[in-house]
Amino acid sequence: MFALACERMMGHFQALPDVVAVAADRLVAIVRVELDGSVVVRDLANGVLRATSASELSAPASLSASTGTTLSSIALATDAQWERARRREAVVAGLTSATNLGDQVAGAAIRLGVSRRTVFRWLAAYRASPQTSSLLPHARGTPVGAHRIDEKLEQLIGEVIRDIYLTKVRARKEEVVRRVGLRCSAEGLTPPSRKAILARVRALDARRVAQARLQPSEAAALYDPVPGTYRVDRALEVVQIDHTRVDAIVVDETHRLPIGRPWLTLAIDVATRVVTGFYVSLEAPSSTSVALCLAQAVLPKEPWLRVRAMTCAWPVWGMPRAVHADNGADFTSTALRRGCDEHGIALILRPVATPHYGGHIERLIGTIMGRVHLLPGTTGSNPLDKGAYPAEAESALTMAELERWLAIEICEHYHRRVHRGLRRSPLAAWQDALRQAGSGLGALPDRPEEFVLSFLPFEHRTLRRDGLHLFNIRYWDPVLPAVVRPGESVLVRYDPRNLSKIYVMAPDDSYVPVPYADLTLPPITIWEQRAAMARLREQGDNAPAQARMFEAVREQRELIEQANAKTKAARRHVQRRRDALQATTGNARSREGPVDYSQPAKPSKAEVWDD
């Protein structure tokens, strides 16, 4: 019998022997995972054995459909509801099917303060879909994310909460109610009910409230993590991620003139010391940087290497059980926290100002930067190291060339050198772990193409008759009315590097790309949009039309292009825009290469085909 379940945990499937998967549009059974990361499969139609890349595997359609039923509830849940679901999961996940299950359920009911029947209901839901979101509370009445008061009142309440409640004065909740009433009277609005106002206060994140109302020491005593020691015995048990400024100056692709130092995000498997992924960018660290590094860490590397015409081996892939990171805003964003929770990845945050807690990633950064110091244009680790070396004058590598150099350094040098702590190379340690496991070391997402999207920032928008409006831009696609009814709120994710396309969550929890309504408009980045809006506000236009905003972006680009050959800041800006648009999520050129017209056409999800 073949295992059709495919390890339904968290919307993933494990590359285990006899698990059924799809490869090249054919139903196959996994036989084994080779040491080079490839997977041997047996075609279920003709029994032929063949090796395939893990990047070609996906879950059968029936499995994918059955596991994607909760993403909308993740995005719409409040922080308080999400914390309740996590507390329930901590108890329910420990219940086993042993003979004393009834006693275990009774104990769990006492701990959670609910009836035994409720615990049994939660256990059934969790076993059917072992995800945090399956234990989210189902509120009665108005659905989460829907509002009975208009947006103007919502904004007014939010401003009063921010200015009155979230301050060191520690105003009482009743003061918030009173101030909202006064503001409404002054602006000629009908005040909302006391219950509606207090509901929005209670929905605030407890950590945010503590940081805003309490002194730093008081907030730290309540909510700062208390780390313990942990031992890492298995590959992908813990992956550490961190950022660093590259100790080298890069040049732009047009003039080959210096544009500054980029940022590097690295991920390392603590047990084997292999580098699971990296991301290099001119942008300062953000939740997007973390998401893109994590996506590369989880997914097979062959497509990424193939696009860059690289032949080096990087047989590392799989979902980590935990991600260890610092307390920066990029690691504590709502999108990242909920994405990790839903994919079953524990997010371990180390205390502030304690870099020794992330010793493995810190040492990796030191090792990689030590090699970077041999590149032309290196700045050294400090001014003393640099000395009189003319780093800008000697700089020679573009961003693309630096990215390729890093990949070669990791795959061909770092992975193959004997690690002093392991007394063998990281690649040998990874292959030993793979050999002992007899299968893939970590799960793969059953929807690889949407894995990155689940970590990107999101907003909620109401579908109007003319489409969706986000960042003062109108988006439209004929498929929208089939995805959401006019007047309903819908989850929208976006890639800050390219706003020409947004991703709307469909009823089956897949993401539908929706482009600009005006396809003649150029792609822009989030920082260009914000700069244009700020400039227009300075000119007195507080509600600029879409056309005026794009005109402001065009004018800014022209000014930058004229200064491109003269100033480093202008060249850096141009390169940022070029890198962002080329590396955007969903960009076909950067991921799939040219179209192979010898292959049959595949229908899109929006098309219906008769058999």
Side-chain angles (χ1 to χ4, degrees), residues 217-492:
S217 58
E218 297 174 298
L222 286 175
Y223 290 103
D224 272 9
V226 182
T229 60
Y230 61 88
R231 178 175 176 176
V232 180
D233 297 319
R234 296 180 299 171
L236 295 184
E237 187 173 346
V238 176
V239 167
Q240 289 185 342
I241 301 181
D242 207 351
H243 317 280
T244 186
R245 202 79 177 263
V246 178
D247 292 339
I249 294 174
V250 294
V251 300
D252 69 296
E253 294 180 357
T254 303
H255 304 280
R256 310 240 10 141
L257 293 173
I259 55 176
R261 297 164 58 190
W263 285 91
L264 173 65
T265 304
L266 276 167
I268 184 175
D269 174 50
V270 173
T272 65
R273 308 297 203 277
V274 295
V275 177
T276 59
F278 76 89
Y279 177 68
V280 62
S281 170
L282 289 170
E283 300 306 311
S286 65
S287 58
T288 304
S289 306
V290 179
L292 294 169
C293 179
L294 186 58
Q296 192 196 46
V298 168
L299 299 175
K301 312 299 188 290
E302 288 87 353
W304 188 90
L305 295 169
R306 189 164 52 246
V307 166
R308 290 156 181 79
M310 300 181 67
T311 58
C312 54
W314 196 353
V316 179
W317 49 265
M319 202 80 66
R321 296 166 187 83
V323 167
H324 191 199
D326 62 28
N327 260 285
D330 43 331
F331 291 111
T332 57
S333 67
T334 300
L336 183 66
R337 285 191 294 109
R338 295 192 181 183
C340 285
D341 282 344
E342 188 62 11
H343 287 286
I345 302 172
L347 188 58
I348 306 171
L349 301 179
R350 69 187 188 222
V352 178
T354 55
H356 56 281
Y357 276 78
H360 300 291
I361 188 66
E362 297 290 345
R363 283 191 289 274
L364 172 65
I365 288 174
T367 299
I368 298 297
M369 288 304 108
R371 299 287 292 176
V372 167
H373 294 167
L374 302 176
L375 294 177
T378 180
T379 60
S381 56
N382 56 59
L384 194 61
D385 284 347
K386 178 185 175 185
Y389 177 74
E392 289 199 358
E394 296 294 330
S395 57
L397 293 178
T398 65
M399 285 287 291
E401 290 164 348
L402 175 64
E403 184 182 62
R404 286 171 54 85
W405 181 90
L406 286 167
I408 294 172
E409 172 62 29
I410 289 169
C411 298
E412 300 296 343
H413 299 284
Y414 170 78
H415 277 173
R416 298 178 185 276
R417 287 196 300 266
V418 174
H419 191 284
R420 185 169 54 186
L422 299 174
R423 297 185 179 180
R424 52 183 170 168
S425 70
L427 182 59
W430 176 267
Q431 291 175 338
D432 285 347
L434 191 63
R435 191 180 295 109
Q436 292 172 12
S439 63
L441 293 172
L444 287 169
D446 58 12
R447 295 179 181 178
E449 69 282 359
E450 296 185 355
F451 180 73
V452 181
L453 297 181
S454 64
F455 289 92
L456 290 180
F458 61 84
E459 299 284 348
H460 293 96
R461 285 295 182 269
T462 299
L463 179 61
R464 305 182 191 176
R465 293 179 63 186
D466 61 346
L468 290 168
H469 293 250
L470 184 68
F471 302 122
N472 205 41
I473 303 171
R474 185 169 70 91
Y475 295 88
W476 173 256
D477 190 281
V479 77
L480 268 179
V483 174
V484 58
R485 288 181 295 184
E488 286 189 349
S489 179
V490 66
L491 174 77
V492 177

Side-chain angles (χ1 to χ4, degrees), residues 27 55 63-64 72 103 142 145 162 166 179 224 237 245 249 278 311 313 340 377 384 427 466 524 553 566 578 581 584:
L27 208 58
S55 63
L63 174 63
S64 297
S72 56
D103 295 337
T142 304
R162 180 195 64 203
L166 297 178
R179 292 293 185 97
D224 272 9
E237 187 173 346
R245 202 79 177 263
I249 294 174
F278 76 89
T311 58
C340 285
L384 194 61
L427 182 59
D466 61 346
I524 63 173
V553 170
K566 301 178 182 178
R578 181 182 291 114
L581 299 183
T584 299

